[in-house]
Amino acid sequence: MRRRAALAGLLLLTGCASGPSLETQGEVTESPGDSKHLTIGSAGFTESDLLATMYALLLNEAGYKTSTLTVANRELYEPALESGQIDVVAEYAATFADWLNAKTNGADAPAVGSPDLKATMSALRKLATPRGLTVLDPGRAVDQNAFAVTEEFAREHDLKTLSDLGRSGLEVRLAAGDECVQRPYCAPGLKKTYGIDITGVDPKGVGTTQAKRAVQNGQDQMVLTTTTDATLDEFGLVLLADDKDLQNADYIVPVVNRSRAGSEGVTGALDRLNEVLTTADLASMNEQVDNWRRLPEDVARTYLKDKGLLK
């Protein structure tokens, strides 16, 4: 049976992590645990709620009792994962690798996340292991930065990929966050990797309604969003394929507290989702919650039943 846990006490306890000391870098100091009551973490946004719910339902099916704890700030929920207040959380491989790298080696440490999934996972696991965390295998679903234009613009200029846009020689004003001016995956990367003529960045945020409307009405030509954005159709927008892999490998990966949830039972239950969940599936579920106002638990349960993962 699932229940939603309260947040009370988390702020007081997250500093008391019980994972292995970083002095034993790279060593596994505890046997995998198999607690029968597990707390699933959610970061509080739609996609995270959906993933946490699916994890909980799959673990329930495998004989575990679960509760869900919502902690929107990674600075809080990651230490809670180390301490065992949270046992399982859905993360994004490259982003989490870079976050742990900065926490371990300092904010100025060179990034370890990259478009190469194998290299990213290797770096992530090396950083996670000494903290008492186990990173399970990624599936097919990826939520990474993506760029969209209007269907009309794409049709008019025969655009399907970012390479197509670069070859077109068109001037492009980009609706994105203000950090896009400097981030290598954004304006500089579009220019260097694809040869796209970015004439300016309109600081309207990543995938916001305001940013999408600016592209819809022709004020801007392209918007920075994500691969699981559920609202593109509403604005008449389509993604251009990142055919040269500019974006980092932000595949969805379950991360568990090894001493409480490192067992084969937990791994086997969560691996079942990896076998079926795609980026398109996740975008569809996001849409059902955000646009159709369905409850995450109803959407998650229906999806898992349709895939034969729940009775």
Side-chain angles (χ1 to χ4, degrees):
M1 180 178 69
R2 292 187 64 236
R3 63 180 176 84
R4 185 166 291 276
L7 185 59
L10 182 63
L11 296 178
L12 296 177
L13 297 175
T14 49
C16 304
S18 61
S21 165
L22 295 186
E23 294 176 359
T24 59
Q25 183 81 17
E27 296 179 15
V28 177
T29 58
E30 294 184 66
S31 299
D34 194 25
S35 174
K36 294 305 178 182
H37 190 152
L38 300 172
T39 300
I40 316 300
S42 169
F45 57 93
T46 296
E47 186 167 293
S48 188
D49 286 345
L50 283 164
L51 289 164
T53 301
M54 287 190 286
Y55 286 3
L57 289 169
L58 289 169
L59 288 166
N60 292 162
E61 187 83 352
Y64 296 87
K65 293 183 178 180
T66 62
S67 57
T68 303
L69 182 63
T70 299
V71 188
N73 191 318
R74 188 180 274 115
E75 282 76 9
L76 292 178
Y77 75 65
E78 189 279 329
L81 186 60
E82 290 187 32
S83 71
Q85 289 175 277
I86 293 174
D87 302 304
V88 183
V89 70
E91 263 293 357
Y92 301 88
T95 295
F96 196 44
D98 284 336
W99 194 87
L100 286 181
N101 187 43
K103 182 176 180 178
T104 303
N105 299 312
D108 296 330
V112 294
S114 75
D116 185 327
L117 177 60
K118 183 177 180 180
T120 296
M121 288 296 297
S122 177
L124 173 55
R125 284 171 166 154
K126 286 178 182 177
L127 289 160
T129 296
R131 294 184 177 277
L133 307 179
T134 297
V135 183
L136 306 187
D137 290 339
R140 293 182 287 167
V142 57
D143 185 353
Q144 59 192 175
N145 293 309
F147 297 91
V149 298
T150 65
E151 292 178 1
E152 182 181 359
F153 186 80
R155 206 166 37 243
E156 179 183 356
H157 300 288
D158 194 22
L159 306 176
K160 294 182 179 179
T161 69
L162 290 171
S163 289
D164 291 339
L165 182 56
R167 284 191 293 268
S168 74
L170 293 165
E171 293 185 347
V172 175
R173 181 172 164 86
L174 177 63
D178 53 9
E179 72 278 2
C180 178
V181 174
Q182 296 180 326
R183 294 285 175 86
Y185 66 80
C186 204
L190 291 172
K191 292 177 182 179
K192 180 179 179 180
T193 302
Y194 290 107
I196 298 172
D197 185 5
I198 303 294
T199 60
V201 173
D202 189 2
K204 286 184 164 58
V206 179
T208 63
T209 296
Q210 186 183 20
K212 290 171 189 170
R213 283 181 178 157
V215 176
Q216 184 183 40
N217 65 29
Q219 178 182 341
D220 300 325
Q221 287 71 51
M222 189 162 67
V223 60
L224 170 62
T225 182
T226 65
T227 52
T228 59
D229 190 324
T231 65
L232 294 178
D233 286 347
E234 291 180 36
F235 298 90
L237 302 177
V238 293
L239 295 179
L240 296 181
D242 179 21
D243 53 309
K244 292 185 179 178
D245 295 327
L246 172 62
Q247 302 305 318
N248 283 345
D250 262 329
Y251 284 76
I252 293 164
V253 291
V255 183
V256 304
N257 177 292
R258 177 181 171 84
S259 65
R260 288 183 49 81
S263 69
E264 291 183 3
V266 172
T267 299
L270 298 181
D271 276 349
R272 296 178 70 206
L273 184 61
N274 283 347
E275 295 171 4
V276 300
L277 184 65
T278 66
T279 303
D281 291 342
L282 200 49
S284 175
M285 285 189 278
N286 285 338
E287 181 180 25
Q288 292 176 56
V289 175
D290 290 338
N291 296 350
W292 304 356
R293 303 305 180 197
R294 294 187 62 195
L295 295 175
E297 183 156 357
D298 292 341
V299 174
R301 187 181 297 276
T302 298
Y303 176 80
L304 294 177
K305 284 187 174 181
D306 287 347
K307 295 297 182 180
L309 300 183
L310 289 184
K311 296 177 183 177

Short mmCIF file of all heavy atoms in Angstrom, two decimals, residues 4 42 45-57 90 273 277 281-290 294-301 303-304:
data_model
loop_
_atom_site.label_atom_id
_atom_site.label_comp_id
_atom_site.label_asym_id
_atom_site.label_seq_id
_atom_site.Cartn_x
_atom_site.Cartn_y
_atom_site.Cartn_z
N ARG A 4 1.72 8.85 1.20
CA ARG A 4 2.63 9.97 0.95
C ARG A 4 3.20 10.44 2.28
O ARG A 4 2.46 10.85 3.18
CB ARG A 4 1.90 11.11 0.23
CG ARG A 4 2.80 12.24 -0.16
CD ARG A 4 2.12 13.15 -1.15
NE ARG A 4 1.94 12.50 -2.44
CZ ARG A 4 2.87 12.45 -3.39
NH1 ARG A 4 4.05 13.02 -3.21
NH2 ARG A 4 2.63 11.84 -4.53
N SER A 42 10.48 12.26 -4.78
CA SER A 42 10.03 13.01 -5.95
C SER A 42 10.53 14.44 -5.82
O SER A 42 10.55 15.00 -4.72
CB SER A 42 8.51 13.01 -6.06
OG SER A 42 8.09 13.94 -7.06
N PHE A 45 7.91 18.01 -9.56
CA PHE A 45 7.34 18.44 -10.83
C PHE A 45 6.69 17.21 -11.49
O PHE A 45 6.90 16.07 -11.06
CB PHE A 45 8.38 19.09 -11.74
CG PHE A 45 9.58 18.25 -12.06
CD1 PHE A 45 9.63 17.45 -13.19
CD2 PHE A 45 10.69 18.27 -11.22
CE1 PHE A 45 10.75 16.68 -13.49
CE2 PHE A 45 11.82 17.51 -11.50
CZ PHE A 45 11.84 16.71 -12.64
N THR A 46 5.88 17.44 -12.51
CA THR A 46 5.03 16.39 -13.06
C THR A 46 5.79 15.12 -13.40
O THR A 46 5.41 14.02 -12.99
CB THR A 46 4.30 16.91 -14.32
OG1 THR A 46 3.43 17.97 -13.95
CG2 THR A 46 3.50 15.80 -14.98
N GLU A 47 6.86 15.25 -14.16
CA GLU A 47 7.60 14.07 -14.60
C GLU A 47 8.18 13.30 -13.43
O GLU A 47 8.14 12.06 -13.39
CB GLU A 47 8.71 14.49 -15.56
CG GLU A 47 9.45 13.33 -16.19
CD GLU A 47 10.31 13.82 -17.34
OE1 GLU A 47 9.73 14.26 -18.36
OE2 GLU A 47 11.56 13.80 -17.21
N SER A 48 8.70 14.01 -12.46
CA SER A 48 9.27 13.36 -11.28
C SER A 48 8.19 12.65 -10.48
O SER A 48 8.39 11.54 -9.98
CB SER A 48 10.00 14.39 -10.42
OG SER A 48 10.70 13.76 -9.38
N ASP A 49 7.02 13.29 -10.35
CA ASP A 49 5.90 12.64 -9.66
C ASP A 49 5.48 11.35 -10.37
O ASP A 49 5.19 10.34 -9.73
CB ASP A 49 4.70 13.59 -9.59
CG ASP A 49 4.87 14.70 -8.57
OD1 ASP A 49 5.77 14.60 -7.72
OD2 ASP A 49 4.10 15.68 -8.65
N LEU A 50 5.42 11.40 -11.70
CA LEU A 50 5.04 10.22 -12.47
C LEU A 50 6.04 9.08 -12.27
O LEU A 50 5.66 7.92 -12.06
CB LEU A 50 4.94 10.57 -13.95
CG LEU A 50 3.68 11.32 -14.39
CD1 LEU A 50 3.89 11.94 -15.76
CD2 LEU A 50 2.47 10.38 -14.40
N LEU A 51 7.32 9.40 -12.35
CA LEU A 51 8.36 8.37 -12.20
C LEU A 51 8.34 7.79 -10.78
O LEU A 51 8.44 6.57 -10.61
CB LEU A 51 9.73 8.96 -12.53
CG LEU A 51 9.96 9.26 -14.01
CD1 LEU A 51 11.16 10.18 -14.19
CD2 LEU A 51 10.16 7.97 -14.81
N ALA A 52 8.20 8.66 -9.78
CA ALA A 52 8.14 8.18 -8.40
C ALA A 52 6.94 7.26 -8.20
O ALA A 52 7.03 6.22 -7.53
CB ALA A 52 8.07 9.37 -7.44
N THR A 53 5.82 7.63 -8.80
CA THR A 53 4.61 6.81 -8.67
C THR A 53 4.79 5.46 -9.35
O THR A 53 4.41 4.41 -8.80
CB THR A 53 3.40 7.54 -9.27
OG1 THR A 53 3.23 8.80 -8.59
CG2 THR A 53 2.13 6.72 -9.11
N MET A 54 5.37 5.46 -10.55
CA MET A 54 5.61 4.19 -11.23
C MET A 54 6.58 3.32 -10.45
O MET A 54 6.38 2.10 -10.34
CB MET A 54 6.10 4.44 -12.66
CG MET A 54 5.02 4.93 -13.59
SD MET A 54 5.49 4.96 -15.34
CE MET A 54 6.58 6.40 -15.37
N TYR A 55 7.64 3.91 -9.90
CA TYR A 55 8.58 3.14 -9.09
C TYR A 55 7.84 2.50 -7.90
O TYR A 55 8.04 1.32 -7.59
CB TYR A 55 9.69 4.04 -8.56
CG TYR A 55 10.73 4.47 -9.58
CD1 TYR A 55 10.64 4.11 -10.92
CD2 TYR A 55 11.82 5.25 -9.19
CE1 TYR A 55 11.59 4.51 -11.84
CE2 TYR A 55 12.78 5.66 -10.11
CZ TYR A 55 12.66 5.29 -11.43
OH TYR A 55 13.61 5.70 -12.33
N ALA A 56 7.00 3.30 -7.23
CA ALA A 56 6.29 2.80 -6.06
C ALA A 56 5.34 1.66 -6.44
O ALA A 56 5.28 0.63 -5.75
CB ALA A 56 5.51 3.94 -5.40
N LEU A 57 4.61 1.82 -7.52
CA LEU A 57 3.67 0.78 -7.94
C LEU A 57 4.39 -0.51 -8.31
O LEU A 57 3.93 -1.62 -7.98
CB LEU A 57 2.85 1.28 -9.12
CG LEU A 57 1.82 2.37 -8.80
CD1 LEU A 57 1.27 2.97 -10.09
CD2 LEU A 57 0.69 1.83 -7.94
N ALA A 90 14.32 8.91 -8.99
CA ALA A 90 14.62 8.95 -10.42
C ALA A 90 15.51 10.15 -10.69
O ALA A 90 15.18 11.28 -10.29
CB ALA A 90 13.33 9.05 -11.23
N LEU A 273 10.61 -1.39 -15.79
CA LEU A 273 10.17 -0.15 -16.43
C LEU A 273 11.12 0.24 -17.55
O LEU A 273 10.69 0.74 -18.61
CB LEU A 273 10.07 0.97 -15.40
CG LEU A 273 9.52 2.31 -15.91
CD1 LEU A 273 8.11 2.15 -16.44
CD2 LEU A 273 9.56 3.35 -14.80
N LEU A 277 9.64 1.86 -21.08
CA LEU A 277 9.42 3.30 -21.06
C LEU A 277 10.29 4.02 -22.10
O LEU A 277 11.51 3.88 -22.11
CB LEU A 277 9.72 3.87 -19.67
CG LEU A 277 9.45 5.37 -19.49
CD1 LEU A 277 7.96 5.67 -19.62
CD2 LEU A 277 9.99 5.84 -18.14
N ASP A 281 6.65 8.00 -24.55
CA ASP A 281 5.71 7.58 -23.50
C ASP A 281 5.67 8.61 -22.38
O ASP A 281 4.60 8.98 -21.88
CB ASP A 281 6.12 6.24 -22.91
CG ASP A 281 5.96 5.08 -23.86
OD1 ASP A 281 5.22 5.22 -24.85
OD2 ASP A 281 6.58 4.03 -23.61
N LEU A 282 6.85 9.06 -21.97
CA LEU A 282 6.94 10.00 -20.86
C LEU A 282 6.32 11.34 -21.23
O LEU A 282 5.60 11.96 -20.43
CB LEU A 282 8.40 10.17 -20.45
CG LEU A 282 8.68 10.71 -19.05
CD1 LEU A 282 7.87 9.98 -17.98
CD2 LEU A 282 10.16 10.62 -18.74
N ALA A 283 6.55 11.79 -22.45
CA ALA A 283 5.95 13.04 -22.92
C ALA A 283 4.43 12.92 -22.92
O ALA A 283 3.71 13.86 -22.54
CB ALA A 283 6.46 13.39 -24.31
N SER A 284 3.92 11.77 -23.35
CA SER A 284 2.47 11.55 -23.37
C SER A 284 1.88 11.59 -21.97
O SER A 284 0.82 12.19 -21.74
CB SER A 284 2.16 10.21 -24.04
OG SER A 284 0.79 9.92 -23.97
N MET A 285 2.55 10.96 -21.02
CA MET A 285 2.06 10.98 -19.65
C MET A 285 2.11 12.38 -19.05
O MET A 285 1.20 12.80 -18.32
CB MET A 285 2.85 9.97 -18.80
CG MET A 285 2.46 8.54 -19.08
SD MET A 285 3.19 7.36 -17.90
CE MET A 285 4.81 7.18 -18.62
N ASN A 286 3.19 13.11 -19.33
CA ASN A 286 3.26 14.50 -18.88
C ASN A 286 2.07 15.30 -19.40
O ASN A 286 1.47 16.11 -18.68
CB ASN A 286 4.56 15.15 -19.38
CG ASN A 286 5.78 14.71 -18.61
OD1 ASN A 286 5.69 14.25 -17.48
ND2 ASN A 286 6.95 14.84 -19.23
N GLU A 287 1.73 15.06 -20.67
CA GLU A 287 0.61 15.78 -21.28
C GLU A 287 -0.70 15.45 -20.58
O GLU A 287 -1.54 16.33 -20.33
CB GLU A 287 0.51 15.43 -22.76
CG GLU A 287 -0.62 16.16 -23.47
CD GLU A 287 -0.70 15.79 -24.94
OE1 GLU A 287 -0.26 14.69 -25.32
OE2 GLU A 287 -1.22 16.62 -25.72
N GLN A 288 -0.90 14.18 -20.25
CA GLN A 288 -2.14 13.78 -19.59
C GLN A 288 -2.31 14.46 -18.24
O GLN A 288 -3.43 14.82 -17.85
CB GLN A 288 -2.17 12.26 -19.42
CG GLN A 288 -2.28 11.50 -20.73
CD GLN A 288 -2.21 10.01 -20.52
OE1 GLN A 288 -2.99 9.44 -19.77
NE2 GLN A 288 -1.25 9.36 -21.18
N VAL A 289 -1.21 14.65 -17.53
CA VAL A 289 -1.28 15.31 -16.23
C VAL A 289 -1.39 16.82 -16.38
O VAL A 289 -2.25 17.47 -15.78
CB VAL A 289 -0.05 14.94 -15.37
CG1 VAL A 289 -0.05 15.74 -14.05
CG2 VAL A 289 -0.03 13.45 -15.07
N ASP A 290 -0.53 17.40 -17.21
CA ASP A 290 -0.47 18.86 -17.32
C ASP A 290 -1.63 19.46 -18.11
O ASP A 290 -2.13 20.53 -17.75
CB ASP A 290 0.85 19.28 -17.98
CG ASP A 290 2.05 19.03 -17.09
OD1 ASP A 290 1.86 18.93 -15.86
OD2 ASP A 290 3.18 18.93 -17.61
N ARG A 294 -5.29 14.94 -15.38
CA ARG A 294 -5.42 13.63 -14.76
C ARG A 294 -4.41 13.53 -13.61
O ARG A 294 -3.37 14.18 -13.62
CB ARG A 294 -5.18 12.52 -15.78
CG ARG A 294 -6.23 12.43 -16.87
CD ARG A 294 -6.01 11.21 -17.73
NE ARG A 294 -6.15 9.98 -16.94
CZ ARG A 294 -5.74 8.78 -17.34
NH1 ARG A 294 -5.16 8.65 -18.54
NH2 ARG A 294 -5.89 7.72 -16.58
N LEU A 295 -4.72 12.71 -12.63
CA LEU A 295 -3.83 12.52 -11.49
C LEU A 295 -2.64 11.67 -11.90
O LEU A 295 -2.80 10.67 -12.63
CB LEU A 295 -4.57 11.85 -10.34
CG LEU A 295 -5.71 12.65 -9.71
CD1 LEU A 295 -6.42 11.80 -8.66
CD2 LEU A 295 -5.18 13.94 -9.08
N PRO A 296 -1.42 12.03 -11.44
CA PRO A 296 -0.24 11.22 -11.78
C PRO A 296 -0.40 9.75 -11.46
O PRO A 296 0.02 8.89 -12.24
CB PRO A 296 0.88 11.86 -10.94
CG PRO A 296 0.45 13.28 -10.77
CD PRO A 296 -1.06 13.23 -10.65
N GLU A 297 -1.04 9.43 -10.33
CA GLU A 297 -1.18 8.02 -9.97
C GLU A 297 -2.09 7.28 -10.95
O GLU A 297 -1.81 6.13 -11.31
CB GLU A 297 -1.72 7.87 -8.54
CG GLU A 297 -1.82 6.41 -8.12
CD GLU A 297 -1.79 6.20 -6.63
OE1 GLU A 297 -1.64 7.18 -5.88
OE2 GLU A 297 -1.91 5.03 -6.21
N ASP A 298 -3.15 7.94 -11.41
CA ASP A 298 -4.04 7.30 -12.38
C ASP A 298 -3.33 7.07 -13.71
O ASP A 298 -3.47 6.02 -14.33
CB ASP A 298 -5.28 8.17 -12.60
CG ASP A 298 -6.18 8.23 -11.38
OD1 ASP A 298 -6.06 7.35 -10.51
OD2 ASP A 298 -7.00 9.16 -11.29
N VAL A 299 -2.57 8.08 -14.14
CA VAL A 299 -1.84 7.98 -15.41
C VAL A 299 -0.78 6.89 -15.31
O VAL A 299 -0.64 6.05 -16.22
CB VAL A 299 -1.19 9.33 -15.78
CG1 VAL A 299 -0.30 9.18 -17.02
CG2 VAL A 299 -2.27 10.38 -16.03
N ALA A 300 -0.03 6.89 -14.22
CA ALA A 300 1.04 5.90 -14.04
C ALA A 300 0.47 4.48 -13.98
O ALA A 300 1.00 3.55 -14.61
CB ALA A 300 1.82 6.21 -12.77
N ARG A 301 -0.60 4.29 -13.23
CA ARG A 301 -1.19 2.96 -13.08
C ARG A 301 -1.72 2.44 -14.42
O ARG A 301 -1.51 1.29 -14.78
CB ARG A 301 -2.31 2.99 -12.04
CG ARG A 301 -2.87 1.61 -11.70
CD ARG A 301 -3.99 1.72 -10.67
NE ARG A 301 -3.50 2.27 -9.42
CZ ARG A 301 -2.94 1.56 -8.46
NH1 ARG A 301 -2.77 0.25 -8.62
NH2 ARG A 301 -2.54 2.13 -7.34
N TYR A 303 -0.73 3.29 -17.42
CA TYR A 303 0.39 2.99 -18.29
C TYR A 303 1.00 1.62 -17.96
O TYR A 303 1.23 0.79 -18.85
CB TYR A 303 1.46 4.07 -18.17
CG TYR A 303 2.70 3.78 -18.99
CD1 TYR A 303 2.73 4.02 -20.36
CD2 TYR A 303 3.84 3.24 -18.40
CE1 TYR A 303 3.86 3.72 -21.12
CE2 TYR A 303 4.97 2.95 -19.14
CZ TYR A 303 4.98 3.19 -20.49
OH TYR A 303 6.10 2.89 -21.24
N LEU A 304 1.24 1.38 -16.67
CA LEU A 304 1.87 0.12 -16.28
C LEU A 304 0.97 -1.07 -16.56
O LEU A 304 1.44 -2.14 -16.95
CB LEU A 304 2.24 0.18 -14.79
CG LEU A 304 3.33 1.19 -14.41
CD1 LEU A 304 3.54 1.19 -12.90
CD2 LEU A 304 4.64 0.90 -15.13
#
